[in-house]
Amino acid sequence: MSRLHRVTIEINGEQVTASIAARVNLIDFIRTEAGFTGSHLGCEHGVCGACTIEVDGAAVRGCLMLAVQADGANVVTVEGLAGMGRAKNLRAAFLAENALQCGYCTPGMLVSALEYIESGESSDRATIRAHMAGNYCRCTGYQAIVDAIAAVIESGEGA
Amino acid sequence: MTGPATIFDKPNAYIGKSVSRSDARRLLEGRGRFVDDIQLPRTLHAAFLRSPYAHAEIVHIDSTEAETAPGVVRVFKGEDLIGVVEPYVGILTHLAGLRSAPQMPIAVDRARWQGEPVAMVVASTRGEAEDAAELIAADLDPIPEACDAETALDEDAPVIHPELGTNLAWERLVEVGDTDAAFSRDDVHVAERTFRFGRHTGVTLEPRSAIAEFNPAEGKLTFWYSGQAPHMMQFILAKHLGLVEENVRVVAHDVGGSFGIKIHTYGDEIATAAVARIMGRPVKFVADRFESFLSDIHARDHVVNARIAMERNGLIAGLEFDDLSGIGPYSMYPRTSAIEMNQVLNLTGAPYVLPNYRARGRVVFQNKNMMCQYRAVGHPIAMAIADCLLEDAAAGIGMDPVEVRRRNLMADDGYPRTSAAGMKLDDLSHQRTLQELIDTMDYSGLRIAQAEALANGIHRGIGFVSMVEVTNPSPMFYGVGGAPIASQDGASLRLDAGGGLRISSSITEQGQGTNTILAQIAAGVFGVPIERVTVATGDTDTAPYGGGTWASRGAGIGGEAMLLAAHALKEQVLEVAASMLQTTVSALDIREGMIVDGGGARISLSDLARTVYYRGNELPSDLNPELVATRHFRVTGFPFVFTNGAMAAHVEVDTETGLVRILNFWAVEDCGRAINPRLVEEQVRGGIVQGIGGALYEECIYSGDGQLQNATMEDYLVPMAAEMPDIVVKHVETPTKTSILGAKGAGEAGTGGAPAAIMNAVNDALRPLDASIWRMPMTPERILKALGRI
């Protein structure tokens, strides 16, 4: 408990170094040590998907990974997507389709949706729904989220 | 009531347009500000030790070891808050006979549900606080519990509050006409069923969260919370912490879902405020998911014995039911846990002409987590009782479920009128919404396809619901009973020097699009591009006094206040403009941020405002414009403004696995004037999916001794994207005459109506197998049991 580990993680292009307990999970590190509060905690056991972030290019549940495991990794959160100009069309589609209400699930939804779109998958609604089945949204009923993802794919202009 | 027609059709009108939500942009870029995003210096983090037993005497709590654990500043027990927090009791005077016992934020002598706080640790980090909570030696002595609502009134059941002498919290009987005579007729068909509605809960993705900061120099408490009713909370914190009301500031920024979960008074949140005051340091409490399941209010939990008498021509001769609901060990403060039962009695059968109606409701104390108002309070129970019995009886006499509705639904031209339970109804469109639904879904085609599928051994079903929805509540909902819950709302708007409008409103935003519809109304009625409007809600220091957003009241009540304020400011600005331009008010209008007359643009709003603010010397000395207007609005003449809708579900039941797949869902909603049709549709869709959750998946499963068995998101099933259907939503607009705007609410409809439609569809699918199910959620296991397969 008292032993601290020095880790350095690149978060949204910034090198963040801190000495932390081994039990600190990656999402707490991102929110508390680095101050990027865009990613949210919903269940802390990998079910709701609110904390989904990119770690070295892969979509990862930030609550299921320890920060010490991410030492040296490159992490991108919802703030990073916006800051780097990524997922611009996806955000525009979410806005146009009203694919968010309270917005608490949205940071994780965007990362999961981006993973799907960038892997070149189809705009088939059932396939989109199957991919997004690990991200919980209590507000929208999901249809507008599926609409937004399908619209981006069908536009052919990428995320 | 009529108003200036131009507000709905003038060039820069936004009412009725699906403009996108400007505040969604920051949420999409991770720039929201939820409670846990706020990090104040010297914050202490709270963790609660909660009772592991449903019912236990608190013998002794030894916190010695916890107090010396790393990072711990102090440990609080129930007794430490005696004299600091005034106990609270969840009763309202208009619910005659309702009783409950005084409650404290942390249990003092006895814990009454698994999850009730028994001690609180504040430490430098949440992790340290949780570690220390585990070191508390709590000597709790379990005592016999009364968990099952159906036996809680038995003579040998333990009485949870001995001073009350009974576990019966409230009882009400509604009796209209001669129900006994109706059921004893020999020319009626009687359908009788026992319905069971499981407990479920809100599962807001953002858990309940609060930060309290007390400034002893000013005696001022600031309370950031994830909630829906800041002014109610301000009153409660002031009253129960002994503070002057104006010294309590409650702020609700972004709220990650609420659905009624976040309009109540929770012990852990009150304790957070009390301890912040004691410590003189900010205290943060964010429930983890386990705590959410154990302490966020639960909902439903009804057992209903019900029957309907139907004449051979399909007309309802009588409807009767007896509803028993378990509410946990206390009536929740301050809204009480009797409101849901009251709604069930008030709403059941309200779409139909019901000559004879008898309903008894009893709410009982039990040793489970507290039950209280959650989205569509009482509606899913009320709609299922009437509409599932209706289809059951229709099948009994061989009548189509649509035809039986046409014969019993109130006529669209027959309003105003009252329902059997005495609800005042006006501006409803049951017949029209049903017709629109039938046209939309291709009903006859579906019936043909259903028969073809059945021939191939595939069991599909179609089910309907015709419903009413309580929206825009008047003071008759809570205020009349003594609750500090405003039924009116206020809106202020100010013309800034730059020509933009700044709005402040007492309704709150939890993602519905409240801020957007306020901007739409203000921009259109006043006359500026919507981009020039900024909206502030959720802060008691700056918002006009009002109720917040719940019971689908935001658009109808807060929206009307906004309309009135925008109209008032416009008149004021035109008076200034007329003076500056040496003309008459009637010759002028405001369009796109410009004062215009018949000849076109004359002066910009910015020029006008700068003249007023900086160069008052240019104005006549008797003209003293403020460029700010505030108006308030409340519903008068009606206790509620009802909306109506018709919905249909098309399902397939796998008779081997018991799984229900929803193939299609259609909804036609009449919420009066739709200020933003897309936002209405999304309210309806999201609500339907929540209703699907209640119908098929969601249940707080308790063991016999009151242990919640599935308090994780892995075990408590919520609707996820893969199982959900695309949902078709259509509008019928019958504006309410209680306001100029004509808007009613839309937030409850889907959750209130969908479960009945799905139950009807499942039973339609099961009917050829001579099976039926009357219990929600309709899990695969229960379907297989209904089929006699297990």
Side-chain angles (χ1 to χ4, degrees):
Chain A
M1 170 59 227
S2 55
R3 207 179 133 219
L4 298 180
H5 305 264
R6 191 174 166 80
V7 299
T8 299
I9 304 173
E10 185 178 321
I11 304 174
N12 300 329
E14 294 176 20
Q15 298 287 323
V16 181
T17 300
S19 294
I20 53 162
R23 68 177 182 177
V24 173
N25 69 34
L26 179 55
I27 208 70
D28 280 338
F29 184 92
I30 291 166
R31 288 178 51 81
T32 309
E33 299 295 336
F36 287 109
T37 56
S39 304
H40 299 137
L41 272 169
C43 70
E44 293 180 90
H45 53 274
V47 181
C48 78
C51 65
T52 309
I53 51 175
E54 274 187 9
V55 179
D56 292 332
V60 165
R61 295 279 199 263
C63 73
L64 292 185
M65 187 170 185
L66 296 172
V68 290
Q69 293 175 292
D71 190 19
N74 184 342
V75 169
V76 178
T77 69
V78 63
E79 293 101 321
L81 295 179
M84 297 172 217
R86 292 178 58 199
K88 200 173 165 194
N89 294 331
L90 185 61
R91 280 194 299 279
F94 264 57
L95 184 65
E97 302 291 344
N98 202 48
L100 69 159
Q101 288 184 28
C102 78
Y104 200 80
C105 72
T106 310
M109 283 285 176
L110 288 173
V111 172
S112 292
L114 189 60
E115 177 188 50
Y116 181 83
I117 295 166
E118 289 185 343
S119 66
E121 294 281 353
S122 80
S123 62
D124 173 68
R125 299 180 71 81
T127 315
I128 294 172
R129 284 182 180 275
H131 180 84
M132 300 302 291
N135 287 77
Y136 171 58
C137 169
R138 190 53 138 177
C139 302
T140 64
Y142 303 103
Q143 188 168 333
I145 294 169
V146 178
D147 290 343
I149 296 169
V152 169
I153 294 170
E154 280 162 12
S155 77
E157 290 171 17
Chain B
M1 196 182 289
T2 56
T6 53
I7 62 176
F8 299 118
D9 53 19
K10 69 186 219 179
N12 53 345
Y14 294 96
I15 294 170
K17 298 197 175 134
S18 293
V19 303
S20 58
R21 288 169 51 214
S22 60
D23 44 4
R25 291 176 197 278
R26 62 186 170 75
L27 296 169
L28 283 161
E29 298 195 8
R31 303 271 174 184
R33 190 198 266 188
F34 297 89
V35 170
D36 196 28
D37 299 343
I38 301 169
Q39 298 182 13
L40 301 177
R42 287 178 54 73
T43 294
L44 294 171
H45 296 262
F48 289 86
L49 178 70
R50 294 171 185 274
S51 172
Y53 304 113
H55 207 189
E57 296 288 355
I58 300 172
V59 181
H60 181 65
I61 291 177
D62 181 357
S63 57
T64 318
E65 200 182 345
E67 279 162 24
T68 56
V72 172
V73 176
R74 199 161 156 188
V75 177
F76 291 86
K77 301 162 206 167
E79 66 214 41
D80 297 326
L81 296 185
I82 292 174
V84 178
V85 177
E86 182 190 316
Y88 37 96
V89 189
I91 55 170
L92 290 169
T93 57
H94 67 307
L95 299 170
L98 173 63
R99 62 204 130 203
S100 189
Q103 201 181 349
M104 284 290 283
I106 301 174
V108 179
D109 299 321
R110 206 183 255 200
R112 293 181 171 87
W113 84 92
Q114 178 220 8
E116 182 170 8
V118 294
M120 173 186 183
V121 182
V122 287
S124 304
T125 67
R126 168 76 182 213
E128 288 168 330
E130 284 184 29
D131 290 343
E134 285 183 13
L135 299 174
I136 296 172
D139 183 1
L140 303 185
D141 187 10
I143 54 177
E145 65 278 324
C147 293
D148 181 359
E150 290 178 78
T151 58
L153 296 179
D154 291 355
E155 258 181 36
D156 58 350
V159 176
I160 294 170
H161 302 290
E163 68 275 24
L164 299 180
T166 172
N167 286 329
L168 181 67
W170 188 64
E171 179 171 21
R172 184 185 162 206
L173 181 70
V174 177
E175 201 157 13
V176 178
D178 189 343
T179 311
D180 289 335
F183 279 92
S184 60
R185 282 167 54 179
D186 53 12
D187 62 338
V188 295
H189 171 79
V190 174
E192 182 164 1
R193 302 289 179 182
T194 298
F195 295 83
R196 288 173 193 277
F197 300 89
R199 267 188 175 237
H200 43 262
T201 185
V203 200
T204 60
L205 190 49
E206 181 204 25
R208 290 187 299 103
S209 318
I211 303 174
E213 180 183 40
F214 186 72
N215 181 338
E218 296 176 314
K220 182 160 183 169
L221 176 75
T222 306
F223 189 73
W224 292 265
Y225 90 131
S226 180
Q228 303 172 238
H231 279 112
M232 180 198 89
M233 210 61 198
Q234 177 192 40
F235 174 93
I236 285 170
L237 289 170
K239 176 175 165 58
H240 294 280
L241 297 182
L243 294 167
V244 182
E245 209 163 318
E246 60 269 27
N247 279 357
V248 177
R249 178 187 176 199
V250 177
V251 185
H253 283 305
D254 289 323
V255 174
S258 50
F259 318 111
I261 298 300
K262 296 173 178 174
I263 46 170
H264 308 292
T265 302
Y266 291 95
D268 43 31
E269 295 178 28
I270 299 296
T272 298
V275 168
R277 186 182 185 192
I278 292 167
M279 303 303 294
R281 293 174 65 174
V283 177
K284 179 188 272 193
F285 166 67
V286 179
D288 65 25
R289 189 53 58 186
F290 183 58
E291 291 182 292
S292 300
F293 278 109
L294 290 177
S295 64
D296 288 5
I297 56 112
H298 292 177
R300 321 308 181 214
D301 197 3
H302 290 245
V303 180
V304 187
N305 290 299
R307 59 179 186 158
I308 192 169
M310 184 174 282
E311 296 174 14
R312 299 287 157 186
N313 61 7
L315 291 179
I316 304 170
L319 180 69
E320 178 176 46
F321 66 89
D322 191 341
D323 183 359
L324 181 78
S325 177
I327 58 165
Y330 296 93
S331 170
M332 198 82 185
Y333 181 70
R335 289 169 194 253
T336 84
S337 303
I339 292 284
E340 169 146 298
M341 179 62 77
N342 206 38
Q343 297 274 65
V344 174
L345 301 187
N346 284 342
L347 302 182
T348 299
Y352 303 105
V353 178
L354 271 186
N356 302 296
Y357 176 65
R358 179 161 62 204
R360 180 169 76 143
R362 287 172 297 163
V363 296
V364 300
F365 296 119
Q366 61 185 163
N367 293 112
K368 290 182 182 174
N369 184 16
M370 284 183 285
M371 195 285 282
C372 201
Q373 281 79 293
Y374 162 59
R375 192 176 198 174
V377 183
H379 291 63
I381 291 105
M383 303 314 145
I385 295 170
D387 273 51
C388 296
L389 283 180
L390 185 80
E391 293 205 8
D392 191 26
I397 63 165
M399 186 173 282
D400 181 272
V402 174
E403 181 57 28
V404 79
R405 281 189 175 76
R406 287 196 177 116
R407 294 186 183 200
N408 287 285
L409 284 169
M410 292 176 179
D412 292 353
D413 60 2
Y415 301 100
R417 65 187 298 168
T418 55
S419 72
M423 296 291 103
K424 286 174 79 174
L425 306 172
D426 203 357
D427 309 313
L428 300 182
S429 60
H430 287 297
Q431 299 281 357
R432 196 175 149 206
T433 49
L434 179 62
Q435 188 56 48
E436 180 84 19
L437 179 72
I438 300 308
D439 295 344
T440 301
M441 66 192 282
D442 180 23
Y443 181 50
S444 51
L446 278 170
R447 284 294 184 202
I448 293 166
Q450 181 189 24
E452 288 170 0
L454 184 60
N456 293 317
I458 296 167
H459 292 269
R460 290 185 178 160
I462 303 160
F464 295 86
V465 66
S466 286
M467 65 172 303
V468 294
E469 174 189 354
V470 170
T471 77
N472 296 8
S474 80
M476 303 310 286
F477 204 12
Y478 288 116
V480 67
I485 299 168
S487 55
Q488 60 75 43
D489 273 288
S492 275
L493 80 169
R494 184 178 82 200
L495 178 62
D496 277 357
L501 283 183
R502 191 167 292 272
I503 290 174
S504 179
S505 167
S506 59
I507 57 172
T508 52
E509 170 77 87
Q510 299 108 36
Q512 303 93 328
T514 299
N515 291 351
T516 302
I517 61 121
L518 289 170
Q520 285 180 254
I521 294 165
V525 172
F526 183 76
V528 295
I530 196 165
E531 297 75 23
R532 300 303 310 278
V533 180
T534 56
V535 184
T537 52
D539 186 340
T540 58
D541 261 11
T542 54
Y545 205 88
T549 298
W550 43 271
S552 291
R553 63 190 303 286
I557 298 176
E560 181 74 359
M562 188 76 259
L563 182 152
L564 297 172
H567 196 65
L569 183 65
K570 180 181 179 183
E571 289 191 339
Q572 194 190 129
V573 165
L574 289 181
E575 193 184 344
V576 177
S579 170
M580 289 171 69
L581 297 169
Q582 299 293 301
T583 181
T584 60
V585 168
S586 60
L588 298 173
D589 196 4
I590 307 174
R591 301 259 169 102
E592 299 287 333
M594 302 294 292
I595 306 290
V596 299
D597 64 11
R602 296 291 307 275
I603 177 175
S604 74
L605 287 172
S606 176
D607 285 347
L608 180 143
R610 288 186 203 287
T611 302
V612 169
Y613 290 133
Y614 308 152
R615 304 188 302 274
N617 56 298
E618 295 177 14
L619 299 175
S621 56
D622 61 346
L623 187 66
N624 293 296
E626 296 158 340
L627 302 191
V628 58
T630 302
R631 290 292 183 274
H632 286 250
F633 177 74
R634 73 178 195 279
V635 172
T636 53
F638 286 81
F640 314 101
V641 178
F642 282 95
T643 75
N644 68 282
M647 301 181 194
H650 182 209
V651 307
E652 185 172 305
V653 180
D654 185 328
T655 54
E656 297 298 319
T657 63
L659 278 165
V660 176
R661 190 156 65 96
I662 298 173
L663 304 173
N664 306 92
F665 202 100
W666 304 266
V668 180
E669 158 80 352
D670 184 348
C671 63
R673 191 179 307 284
I675 300 163
N676 185 318
R678 181 187 291 276
L679 294 181
V680 171
E681 284 162 25
E682 289 304 303
Q683 277 302 299
V684 174
R685 277 199 188 94
I688 287 168
V689 166
Q690 233 162 330
I692 292 171
L696 296 179
Y697 309 117
E698 298 185 40
E699 185 165 23
C700 300
I701 300 167
Y702 274 88
S703 66
D705 61 352
Q707 296 288 313
L708 185 56
Q709 306 282 288
N710 60 338
T712 78
M713 285 196 64
E714 223 169 340
D715 301 307
Y716 180 98
L717 301 180
V718 288
M720 300 297 275
E723 307 89 51
M724 289 303 106
D726 282 337
I727 296 164
V728 177
V729 181
K730 294 262 173 108
H731 307 283
V732 165
E733 293 191 49
T734 311
T736 169
K737 291 190 279 289
T738 58
S739 68
I740 298 168
L741 186 60
K744 311 173 200 171
E748 328 290 328
T751 308
I758 294 166
M759 181 170 264
N760 277 333
V762 169
N763 281 331
D764 188 48
L766 297 181
R767 200 164 283 121
L769 299 166
D770 213 17
S772 61
I773 182 166
W774 306 97
R775 182 170 191 174
M776 295 184 197
M778 293 174 276
T779 61
E781 182 187 353
R782 288 173 185 158
I783 299 254
L784 291 177
K785 277 186 179 157
L787 286 166
R789 304 215 166 184
I790 56 172

